[in-house]
Amino acid sequence: MAILSDYNEDQNQEQTMKPIERKEENPSSNLSPKEGGNSSSAPKDEEENKKLKPNKSNGLDMENYSWGQSLQEVTINVPVPPGTKSRFIVVEIKNNSLKVGLKNQPLIIDGEYFKAVKVDECYWSLEDQKEISILLTKQNKSDWWKSLFKGGPEIDTQKVEPEPSKLSDLDTETRAAVEKMMFDQRQKQMGLPSSEEIKNQDMLKKFMEQNPDMAKNFGNAKMMPNSKMMGKLH
């Protein structure tokens, strides 16, 4: 192909037209979930509209690319044919959308972000002439993205695993948000109240201590038989 004229072998030109193939457990199924309106975005071996377990980078491994995230950034890795030159690459980063591909070929990625990014703090590079690496900086640095693109396969954000070693690098507000999420996740797994529920319980306890008469009446009301309560309601 013209866009890969720098290749030494003709067979490499043919390979650029082939998407990265994946093995499917159910060959009879010809439909796969689409992310951002592009058929190359089907998640591997997972059903559509089902929250998926995140990969080790807290994102998903897709058919033609993979993505991961921290609270501050999103990273995307797109394999391309070995020997690809940067001048043949198309990357268009906007605050709410992304396009990635090779010139004169169908786009590999074309979608609207799950949430907005800071364009001035987004970058891309070609690694070893075989992979496009993209870094996106989130506008909101306290949320985990459920999906890379709107309408795409979603991950279960309760199963993300932030790296504890990097908590000290976060600003105070972001670190507090991360620690709260991690605490609530542990509490939920153990069937215990969340941080918000504990806060409400503490407020109620403090209020009762400052208002003993009301606390006494509240206690008597709790001990009142259900039948009497129901009678009052009638």
Side-chain angles (χ1 to χ4, degrees), residues 44-234:
K44 296 180 179 178
D45 304 320
E46 297 289 354
E47 297 178 0
E48 187 175 6
N49 298 326
K50 179 181 179 182
K51 287 192 175 181
L52 311 176
K53 181 179 179 180
N55 60 20
K56 63 182 180 180
S57 300
N58 296 322
L60 280 178
D61 296 323
M62 312 303 290
E63 183 179 359
N64 283 354
Y65 64 92
S66 64
W67 70 277
Q69 64 177 318
S70 65
L71 278 173
Q72 299 83 22
E73 301 170 343
V74 174
T75 57
I76 306 170
N77 295 309
V78 185
V80 292
T84 298
K85 304 297 183 181
S86 59
R87 63 178 176 272
F88 298 133
I89 294 175
V90 177
V91 177
E92 183 179 297
I93 302 176
K94 295 185 177 180
N95 69 329
N96 60 358
S97 65
L98 175 68
K99 293 182 179 181
V100 181
L102 299 176
K103 289 183 179 179
N104 302 323
Q105 293 193 30
L107 290 171
I108 301 172
I109 295 177
D110 183 12
E112 183 179 355
Y113 303 129
F114 183 72
K115 291 189 176 181
V117 302
K118 296 181 178 180
V119 178
D120 294 340
E121 299 179 26
C122 297
Y123 311 92
W124 71 271
S125 61
L126 178 62
E127 305 293 337
D128 299 325
Q129 295 187 331
K130 63 180 181 180
E131 184 176 75
I132 303 171
S133 178
I134 303 170
L135 185 146
L136 307 174
T137 300
K138 298 178 179 178
Q139 279 195 4
N140 186 337
K141 298 184 179 182
S142 61
D143 288 338
W144 295 106
W145 287 13
K146 295 180 181 179
S147 177
L148 178 57
F149 297 117
K150 291 181 179 180
E154 295 185 358
I155 62 170
D156 185 349
T157 55
Q158 293 294 322
K159 295 181 179 179
V160 298
E161 298 181 359
E163 298 180 29
S165 60
K166 292 186 178 181
L167 285 178
S168 59
D169 298 333
L170 304 177
D171 58 74
T172 304
E173 183 179 353
T174 303
R175 178 173 179 173
V178 175
E179 291 176 341
K180 179 179 181 296
M181 287 189 293
M182 294 174 66
F183 175 80
D184 288 343
Q185 183 176 343
R186 289 194 298 268
Q187 291 292 95
K188 182 178 180 181
Q189 292 173 346
M190 295 185 291
L192 299 175
S194 65
S195 56
E196 190 67 26
E197 291 170 338
I198 292 175
K199 179 180 178 182
N200 292 337
Q201 291 174 2
D202 290 342
M203 290 176 61
L204 179 60
K205 182 179 178 181
K206 185 176 181 180
F207 177 81
M208 292 302 183
E209 290 174 350
Q210 295 174 347
N211 300 272
D213 292 337
M214 184 173 292
K216 183 177 179 181
N217 294 333
F218 181 78
N220 291 336
K222 289 176 63 179
M223 296 176 62
M224 187 177 295
N226 292 336
S227 58
K228 291 184 180 180
M229 293 292 290
M230 291 299 294
K232 285 190 175 184
L233 289 174
H234 292 297

